[in-house]
Amino acid sequence: MKKIKALFFNLLFLALPALALAAGPGDKDVPDMATRMVRVEGLGAINYFFATWYNSNKFVFAILVTVVMGVVGALIALMTDVILKAIGMEVSKIEHHE
Amino acid sequence: MLDFFNVYLPIAERDFNALILVAIGFSVGVLGGFFGVGGAWVVTPALNIFGFPMAYAIGTDLAHIFGKSIVATAKHRKMGNVDFKLGIWSIIGSVIGVEAGAQSVMLLTRLGLAGPVVRYTYMILLFGLGIYMIYDYATKEQRAAAAAAKAAARAAGTAPPRKAWNLPPMMHFPTSGITISFWTVMGVFFFTGYLSGFLGVGGGFIRMPALIYLIGCPTAIAVGTDLFSVLFAGAYGCLTYGIKGAVDIVAAIYMLVGASVGAQLGVTAVKYVRGYGIRLLFAIMIILAGLSVALKQFNYSVAAAWVVMCAALGMCVVIIIRLYIGFKKEQAEKLGLGH
């Protein structure tokens, strides 16, 4: 009996998200600038690089943004870590006190 | 004078002060590392105050949140504060919840009720959560005493064991040290995801207290695990807003420089502040954020943005002071042991 009850509740809860999603896909109020072009004349090398990809292929631009964010974040973290270690502010596993 | 720091943003096609971008990134980095949140609720109004083009604000913010979350999650992992298994379940539950929340907003939009309902829900949630966390902080001694008395009574065989929700399958999370029903885990993350989709926010500030109060995580693990989830939300946001052409990558890099340094300091501060201390500061922060939303609802948009920005800066100062005091104390103890 206990197993049947557990099975019933499992099936019921599994169905809940499907019911919640039944109305169709959601939509966010995001300004769509997919066809927008930016000016590239007179830009420096880095800005020119980003602006050119922005104009030519938004998908590659998006990948570029994601990769750059990850790499820059990791590099700065590495540098800050070295500096913090040098001043004695390094971290290791901590005890969890409430 | 500060024009010296102006840089050209190639996607937004305008000049903007790099110092402001780095400073905003730094403040939100400290808050994010310390509380385990993305901080979009601070960044967007702050950028708004300084005249950043709003069409790019959300995308640029999400892009820098992704980079910052990598930094903060890596550091929290080092401190043993990330429950990866729980984090992955939180992502699965939240994705379903976010979509369901977005559906509800669409329904309300069709009924012409979305704006006020979402804002009032946001206010009630922020104030309610903040007040509850302060109450929880204020009564922690009494509750600890009551729990000890109950445990003693159970040991003596005079009180029945506490009834727990334990519908199988049960899940064990060794890092957090909890065993809990799969349905509780999914229910909680579906609910936090739903609120996140409904309110149109990243949801870190909802998930962090949910991990503490509904799942039962230690505070520091809740912070680290939440950041792990924010990392994925940020990556998805970064990519999708990038495809829509709504990210200014140069502005995002400047913000990320500040945020990465800030996040390192914020995470390190977790080492020196006890769980309840983090909860109290978080409660104060979200009450002030609630005040900001209330001001916005009554058309005081500029005041609302200033409130949230000043609250963020103030909290940032408090966290750095706590970090400094903790660090100095630790150094003194080390020196004392050395002699």
Side-chain angles (χ1 to χ4, degrees):
Chain A
M1 188 62 196
K2 210 174 167 185
K3 274 189 180 169
I4 293 172
K5 207 167 127 185
L7 183 72
F8 169 74
F9 277 109
N10 274 288
L11 288 174
L12 178 73
F13 289 142
L14 274 174
L16 280 180
L19 293 173
L21 296 173
D27 194 17
K28 285 266 176 189
D29 188 21
V30 181
D32 195 350
M33 289 172 274
T35 51
R36 190 175 158 259
M37 304 285 256
V38 294
R39 188 174 57 83
V40 292
E41 298 84 38
L43 293 179
I46 296 174
N47 283 355
Y48 180 84
F49 175 74
F50 291 138
T52 311
W53 276 114
Y54 184 88
N55 287 343
S56 56
N57 191 331
K58 293 282 193 296
F59 185 74
V60 176
F61 174 75
I63 302 271
L64 198 66
V65 172
T66 312
V67 171
V68 167
M69 287 298 118
V71 172
V72 172
L75 282 177
I76 298 168
L78 215 67
M79 283 187 329
T80 321
D81 227 18
V82 171
I83 297 167
L84 289 179
K85 242 181 212 170
I87 60 168
M89 212 182 258
E90 58 183 317
V91 293
S92 54
K93 274 206 187 312
I94 59 165
E95 296 269 329
H96 295 117
H97 300 292
E98 288 304 311
Chain B
M1 187 185 77
L2 290 175
D3 285 354
F4 175 73
F5 294 101
N6 277 0
V7 289
Y8 183 72
L9 307 178
I11 310 302
E13 294 187 287
R14 57 168 295 172
D15 285 322
F16 199 81
N17 195 308
L19 210 58
I20 291 174
L21 293 172
V22 175
I24 292 174
F26 177 80
S27 323
V28 180
V30 173
L31 296 183
F34 189 74
F35 292 129
V37 295
W41 42 294
V42 177
V43 177
T44 312
L47 287 174
N48 194 8
I49 287 178
F50 292 109
F52 189 85
M54 288 320 285
Y56 302 94
I58 301 170
T60 306
D61 178 26
L62 278 169
H64 110 277
I65 282 176
F66 167 55
K68 175 190 78 178
S69 306
I70 294 177
V71 178
T73 307
K75 192 131 188 158
H76 269 295
R77 189 191 65 84
K78 232 177 175 179
M79 292 162 75
N81 291 343
V82 184
D83 190 329
F84 287 102
K85 187 176 167 189
L86 191 57
I88 287 167
W89 281 108
S90 91
I91 294 161
I92 297 168
S94 298
V95 165
I96 305 167
V98 166
E99 198 52 50
Q103 299 300 326
S104 305
V105 172
M106 282 177 72
L107 179 72
L108 285 171
T109 307
R110 281 198 289 273
L111 298 172
L113 295 168
V117 170
V118 167
R119 270 199 293 277
Y120 279 112
T121 310
Y122 202 4
M123 271 190 273
I124 291 167
L125 186 78
L126 290 169
F127 283 128
L129 209 53
I131 291 165
Y132 174 75
M133 287 177 89
I134 287 179
Y135 168 79
D136 176 63
Y137 179 83
T139 58
K140 67 179 195 297
E141 308 290 339
Q142 290 101 299
R143 276 180 300 105
K150 256 186 194 170
R154 267 205 300 277
T158 54
R162 210 179 77 178
K163 189 95 177 130
W165 167 251
N166 55 3
L167 180 71
M170 300 299 282
M171 302 180 87
H172 183 53
F173 298 97
T175 312
S176 302
I178 48 175
T179 300
I180 190 168
S181 168
F182 165 79
W183 295 111
T184 306
V185 175
M186 287 309 279
V188 167
F189 292 133
F190 177 80
F191 175 65
T192 55
Y194 179 85
L195 284 175
S196 165
F198 184 75
L199 302 172
V201 294
F205 76 95
I206 307 168
R207 224 169 16 241
M208 193 278 243
L211 279 162
I212 297 170
Y213 295 111
L214 302 177
I215 301 283
C217 278
T219 308
I221 293 186
V223 171
T225 307
D226 191 22
L227 268 171
F228 176 66
S229 311
V230 168
L231 192 157
F232 284 88
Y236 175 73
C238 179
L239 189 74
T240 186
Y241 276 82
I243 292 170
K244 290 179 176 78
V247 178
D248 191 287
I249 184 167
V250 174
I253 291 173
Y254 278 106
M255 282 170 75
L256 181 58
V257 170
S260 299
V261 178
Q264 292 265 7
L265 297 178
V267 178
T268 312
V270 170
K271 187 176 153 188
Y272 303 112
V273 183
R274 294 179 82 91
Y276 269 104
I278 299 173
R279 293 189 205 182
L280 178 66
L281 293 176
F282 183 78
I284 295 167
M285 188 70 219
I286 59 171
I287 286 178
L288 290 170
L291 179 67
S292 160
V293 178
L295 285 168
K296 202 170 180 183
Q297 172 65 17
F298 298 112
N299 292 325
Y300 295 105
S301 294
V302 179
W306 277 107
V307 164
V308 79
M309 205 178 72
C310 292
L313 285 175
M315 195 54 75
C316 197
V317 170
V318 170
I319 294 168
I320 290 173
I321 291 173
R322 295 292 298 264
L323 168 69
Y324 181 75
I325 293 170
F327 175 63
K328 281 284 158 197
K329 208 170 143 191
E330 189 184 64
Q331 293 291 96
E333 278 168 10
K334 270 185 192 166
L335 282 173
L337 283 174
H339 288 114

